[in-house]
Amino acid sequence: QVQLVESGGGLVQAGGSLRLSCAASGRTFSTLPMGWFRQAPGKDREFVAASVWSGNFTYYADSVKGRFTISRVNAKNTVYLQMNSLKPEDTAVYYCAADRSWIYSTWTTGGYGLDYWGKGTLVTVSS
């Protein structure tokens, strides 16, 4: 069983930066697919970024590509999301997720059915 705990959310002005962390505990290993989703008020959950094979492969939603970077520190079973050039439309609850296998379409369509989820951390971008 894997448990995920997010941290790092908060309030930031448009154009600013924020880094989210997700610490995994339990039966984890370096190739466990891990990533981030977000859900804004009144909207469906959407894919943000994912990392597989110890971070050798990364995937991003078009809306964040070039602004967000996902990375991993495998010794700590931790995944990060560095968010730069933040926009008001980035405001959402950000969730960390992990799965026992990698199925690209499952992640990019919202992650429904993924095995493990954190409780979320709120990111608010003003202006």
Side-chain angles (χ1 to χ4, degrees), residues 1-7 21-28 32-37 72 77-79 95-99 107 114-120:
Q1 188 175 15
V2 175
Q3 297 183 24
L4 306 174
V5 179
E6 306 99 332
S7 62
S21 299
C22 175
S25 61
R27 299 181 181 272
T28 62
L32 183 72
M34 297 180 66
W36 295 90
F37 295 81
R72 300 175 72 146
N77 288 326
T78 301
V79 62
Y95 297 93
C96 181
D99 204 21
W107 287 78
L114 293 181
D115 295 315
Y116 310 107
W117 291 91
K119 295 186 181 298

Side-chain angles (χ1 to χ4, degrees), residues 16-90:
S17 299
L18 207 60
R19 189 179 75 161
L20 306 182
S21 299
C22 175
S25 61
R27 299 181 181 272
T28 62
F29 57 99
S30 63
T31 58
L32 183 72
M34 297 180 66
W36 295 90
F37 295 81
R38 67 186 183 185
Q39 188 167 25
K43 299 182 67 177
D44 292 333
R45 186 172 64 209
E46 64 176 339
F47 171 74
V48 176
S51 175
V52 298
W53 289 105
S54 301
N56 288 328
F57 297 92
T58 58
Y59 304 87
Y60 297 93
D62 289 340
S63 59
V64 306
K65 194 172 298 181
R67 299 188 297 121
F68 292 9
T69 302
I70 188 169
S71 61
R72 300 175 72 146
V73 178
N74 293 315
K76 297 182 178 181
N77 288 326
T78 301
V79 62
Y80 302 94
L81 185 68
Q82 178 66 47
M83 305 184 293
N84 298 326
S85 301
L86 283 163
K87 305 174 181 179
E89 51 262 45
D90 294 318

